[in-house]
Amino acid sequence: MFYREAGQFKTSYQADGQIFPLRQDRIALAATLLVALFALPCWASPYALAAILTPFLIFSLAALGLNILTGYCGQLSLGSAAFMAVGAFATYNFMARLPGMPILLAFALGGLCAALVGIAFGLPSLRVRGFYLAAATLATQFFVLWCLSKIPYLSNNSASGVITAQPIVILGYRFDTPAAKYLLVLGIVALLALLAKNMIRSNTGRAWMAVRDMDMAAEVIGFRPLRTKLLAFAVSSFYCGVAGALYAYAYLGTVEPEAYNLELSLRILFMIIIGGLGSVLGSFLGAAFIVLLPIALNILAHALALPGGVASNLEQMAFGALIVFFLIVEPHGLARLWQIGKEKLRLWPFPR
């Protein structure tokens, strides 16, 4: 069937139902993947691959998980780092207690363990919402970290709780260089992001958005809030669990509860607020912004020769100011600004 683009829509229903209906989006995605797969591993320095690009991808996956729960289903959570910790420690225990298990399977099982914990702590969402639900998930953060620190079995009887992660070996190939770890993380994140994009377009995603907009009306028209909310908690926790396992194995190299503190949960929340709630692209934009902002601020502080006290607090001040700015000026975040710019570019030189 032949069709032509008309504005932002297509004249073919089949074409408009594609995951990426606009040709510009498909070209941009293909170009981004080509650069990420071939250009960056060859040209980027080992420091950039290990300290910037790999954590950016991991945080993007965690932000995507939280965005599924908060942006698409409307359930506020402050326990993302706790679910990441569950995924990391579960992966470590599967690898340690079941020798010979493929590490990709251990990552998936770690995500499933995080999903089970997410379902258990998502039960309060059936009775409470808003601030009270945030408080319940905040309790999850402290409870999970307490268990991981105080129960020796979960840390393989390690008194300190700091454990060296097992090496990443897949089909006999050892992923021990920054480029290899980056490519592994890139493949996992790209696959899960594509699955999330497709899931959001399905009946499951429509149920999430219906509950987010008005749960009572959604129940009246046939959606089940109980199953819908718990499924959102499960999927969100699974994504955070896989991100936590990658954070421990591909970035830190250790499995320790202190790495998954409340500050990490707040950073992930800042990512989706700045990037854009209810947007897959916003999760990546917010993660890139949060990862690159401290680097830019450090360069600025050294260039201006700021005092040590000011430089150390500059990052926190910038985060707070940006949160207020986006909540007031553009609540939909960077993803909305990108969409506006893209539409203006597509309509240029013919204004509306």
Side-chain angles (χ1 to χ4, degrees):
M1 179 182 293
F2 297 96
Y3 58 86
R4 298 186 54 156
E5 294 187 3
Q8 64 178 2
F9 301 102
K10 292 179 179 291
T11 56
S12 166
Y13 178 80
Q14 180 181 4
D16 198 48
Q18 296 176 351
I19 298 180
F20 300 100
L22 298 180
R23 183 173 62 249
Q24 291 88 339
D25 290 343
R26 295 194 295 271
I27 294 175
L29 178 63
T32 302
L33 289 177
L34 288 175
V35 171
L37 281 173
F38 301 105
L40 290 179
C42 296
W43 296 341
S45 65
Y47 171 80
L49 291 171
I52 299 177
L53 295 175
T54 298
F56 154 67
L57 291 172
I58 295 171
F59 288 145
S60 298
L61 184 59
L64 179 57
L66 181 59
N67 221 338
I68 289 174
L69 180 64
T70 302
Y72 286 101
C73 195
Q75 309 302 303
L76 184 60
S77 173
L78 295 177
S80 304
F83 301 126
M84 292 177 66
V86 171
F89 274 84
T91 300
Y92 168 77
N93 278 280
F94 281 122
M95 294 291 294
R97 304 179 190 282
L98 299 174
M101 171 177 285
I103 193 167
L104 293 179
L105 178 59
F107 287 160
L109 293 176
L112 289 177
C113 291
L116 293 177
V117 175
I119 292 175
F121 285 97
L123 291 174
S125 68
L126 310 178
R127 293 298 185 96
V128 297
R129 66 185 70 181
F131 171 79
Y132 300 99
L133 180 59
T137 56
L138 183 61
T140 305
Q141 174 73 35
F142 295 113
F143 178 77
V144 169
L145 294 187
W146 181 87
C147 290
L148 295 177
S149 301
K150 300 299 182 181
I151 301 177
Y153 180 82
L154 298 178
S155 57
N156 199 19
N157 299 319
S158 174
S160 63
V162 179
I163 313 162
T164 301
Q166 297 94 341
I168 304 176
V169 180
I170 301 176
L171 299 178
Y173 180 79
R174 191 182 181 97
F175 290 78
D176 54 359
T177 64
K181 291 181 179 180
Y182 161 76
L183 289 174
L184 174 64
V185 173
L186 175 64
I188 295 175
V189 172
L191 175 62
L192 291 179
L194 182 61
L195 291 176
K197 181 74 174 178
N198 205 24
M199 189 185 311
I200 291 164
R201 297 169 57 254
S202 66
N203 292 333
T204 300
R206 296 186 184 97
W208 288 340
M209 289 181 276
V211 170
R212 174 197 63 189
D213 295 336
M214 188 173 293
D215 53 356
M216 294 183 63
E219 186 176 9
V220 169
I221 63 176
F223 292 111
R224 299 180 181 178
L226 167 63
R227 185 175 66 181
T228 301
K229 291 180 180 180
L230 291 184
L231 180 59
F233 268 97
V235 175
S236 171
S237 301
F238 176 83
Y239 273 65
C240 289
V242 175
L246 293 175
Y247 189 62
Y249 280 79
Y251 178 58
L252 295 178
T254 60
V255 184
E256 51 182 314
E258 291 77 11
Y260 305 93
N261 52 23
L262 180 60
E263 182 182 356
L264 181 59
S265 292
L266 294 178
R267 281 180 177 269
I268 297 172
L269 181 61
F270 294 163
M271 289 175 191
I272 65 172
I273 292 176
I274 294 176
L277 291 170
S279 169
V280 174
L281 176 62
S283 303
F284 288 85
L285 294 177
F289 193 89
I290 295 299
V291 170
L292 295 177
L293 180 63
I295 300 175
L297 292 178
N298 286 332
I299 295 175
L300 178 63
H302 286 294
L304 299 178
L306 296 176
V310 176
S312 61
N313 294 317
L314 187 60
E315 182 179 339
Q316 285 76 10
M317 293 187 293
F319 280 151
L322 288 170
I323 292 293
V324 175
F325 171 80
F326 278 103
L327 288 177
I328 295 176
V329 177
E330 184 50 75
H332 296 288
L334 294 172
R336 177 58 181 168
L337 296 178
W338 170 259
Q339 183 180 7
I340 293 174
K342 184 177 63 175
E343 289 301 320
K344 289 183 178 180
L345 183 62
R346 290 184 66 249
L347 296 175
W348 185 84
F350 303 103
R352 290 186 177 182

